[in-house]
């Protein structure tokens, strides 16, 4: 389930002003960079909080979705696909209707039935689990889906990618025996740490989000204190310092929130690991134990890469849109010095594309200097220039985004080094 299950008023303060331009154009505001670099757009006819992912933004998201899929497989997850809407009754059963309806879009009537856009995919996954009889030998069952879910936020609080009405969440639900719980929580945290290392994201702090006062929560005191105790024990065993945060839990259970900071130091929740004794109860989930009897599994909600919207917003700001090669919308731009070099430049572009790289030829209808400047403004990692000398020798003059200039690089080497950086998801530009 999504990181912020709290009502809009409990969102991090950093998003309170999300609808307005920040004063003085902060250097790394994802909305400005997203607009300037045409990563995403908001259209009044579609609606606020419903961004359109433009081709270059879609590349970044697709690469992150691929990383999420690989990480899920590596973590022993099985992929499922479930619909973005369901009968209202599903969410009455899950408890969302009682505790979360204010954040959901109103029901749609179709004949005698009422459907709602889902606020989360946990109930669907609980039903996927229940589609088969499960034995203790089958556990843990880990169901992964990067799916859309919806929030009926009011227009006034929406902006960019950080507050939206449709989120696309990297979400896994683990169903396990109680004894497997500590290991599964530790695996989820390790998975987050592995992805963050790759993405260069620093954890600001781990937060143990506990139940607060009030009746916004499902389940009894005993379940809650047990669940909170389990999460705390795992954090201690992993040697991770954490902050205690009463009142930040999801309505169905406590969670470990992995907090990150943007370049301005504002903190937000990215990834979460949530423990849930309530949904298995409400959906009467079970597995057959070694004793032949029915037992109740525990459900762990594991959101490793978070919502694509929130993650991409964070990464745009973290990198100032100068993405590492594997995430860069265009990896190599090839520039013919003058008209006669267009053919060779296109041939090099084709070689790069054939190797699976995102390359683009920018023809000589402006000065070379202007085209190099434009590539720099678009934060393209590699600019390959081709003139007479390069054409004659099967070479390019390479300009890297970090300022290095390497003349006389063979086309073969260009293709192989960039391919390796991309395949390794390297943080730098290579060519050392
Ligand atoms: Zn969930």
């Amino acid at each position: 389930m999504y990181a912020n299950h709290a009502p809009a008023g409990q969102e991090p303060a950093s998003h309170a002003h999300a609808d307005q331009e920040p004063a003085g154009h902060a250097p790394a505001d994802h909305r400005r960079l997203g607009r300037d670099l045409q990563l995403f757009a908001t259209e009044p006819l579609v609606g606020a909080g419903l961004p359109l992912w433009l081709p270059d933004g879609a590349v970044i998201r697709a690469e992150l979705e691929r990383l999420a899929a690989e990480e899920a497989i590596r973590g022993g997850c099985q992929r499922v696909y479930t619909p973005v809407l369901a009968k209202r009754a599903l969410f009455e059963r899950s408890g969302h209707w009682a505790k979360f309806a204010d954040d959901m879009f109103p029901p749609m009537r179709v004949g005698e039935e009422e459907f709602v856009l889902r606020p989360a995919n946990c109930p669907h996954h609980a039903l996927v689990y229940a589609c088969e009889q499960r034995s203790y030998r089958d556990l843990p069952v880990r169901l992964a889906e990067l799916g859309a879910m919806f929030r009926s936020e009011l227009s006034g609080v929406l902006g960019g990618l950080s507050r939206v009405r449709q989120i696309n969440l990297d979400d896994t639900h683990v169903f396990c025996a109680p004894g497997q719980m500590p290991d599964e929580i530790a695996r989820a945290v390790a998975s987050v740490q592995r992805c963050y290392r790759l993405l260069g994201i620093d954890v600001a702090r781990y937060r143990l989000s506990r139940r607060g006062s009030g009746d916004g929560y499902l389940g009894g005191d005993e379940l809650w204190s047990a669940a909170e105790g389990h999460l705390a024990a795992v954090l201690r065993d992993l040697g991770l310092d954490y902050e205690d945060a009463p009142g930040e839990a999801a309505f169905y259970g406590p969670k470990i929130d992995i907090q990150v900071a943007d370049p301005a130091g504002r903190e937000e929740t990215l990834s979460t690991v949530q423990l849930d004794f309530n949904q298995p109860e409400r959906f009467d989930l079970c597995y057959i134990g070694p004793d032949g009897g029915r037992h109740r599994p525990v459900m762990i909600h594991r959101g490793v890469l978070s919502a694509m919207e929130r993650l991409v917003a964070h990464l745009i700001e973290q990198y100032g849109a100068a993405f590492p090669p594997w995430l860069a919308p265009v990896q190599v731009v090839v520039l013919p010095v003058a008209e006669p070099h267009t053919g060779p430049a296109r041939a090099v572009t084709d070689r790069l594309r054939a190797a699976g790289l995102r390359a683009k030829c920018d023809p000589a209808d402006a000065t070379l200097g202007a085209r190099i400047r434009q590539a720099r403004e678009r934060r393209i990692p590699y600019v390959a220039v081709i003139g007479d000398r390069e054409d004659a020798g099967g070479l390019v003059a390479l300009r890297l985004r970090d300022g290095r200039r390497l003349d006389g690089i063979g086309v073969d080497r260009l293709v192989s080094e960039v391919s390796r950086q991309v395949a390794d998801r390297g943080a730098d530009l290579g060519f050392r």
Side-chain angles (χ1 to χ4, degrees), residues 1-2 120-123 169 171-173 252 274 299 301-302:
M1 183 162 289
Y2 195 42
N121 59 13
C122 337
L169 187 68
D171 206 7
T172 293
H173 293 98
Y252 49 77
Q274 318 186 4
M299 188 168 173
H301 309 245
R302 180 212 287 195

Side-chain angles (χ1 to χ4, degrees), residues 10 40 68 89 91 104-106 139 150 163-164 207 303 378 409:
Q10 291 176 31
F40 57 88
F91 300 103
M104 292 166 64
F105 281 95
L139 302 184
F150 301 86
R163 281 295 288 273
V164 289
R207 191 173 79 178
R378 295 177 57 208
I409 297 285

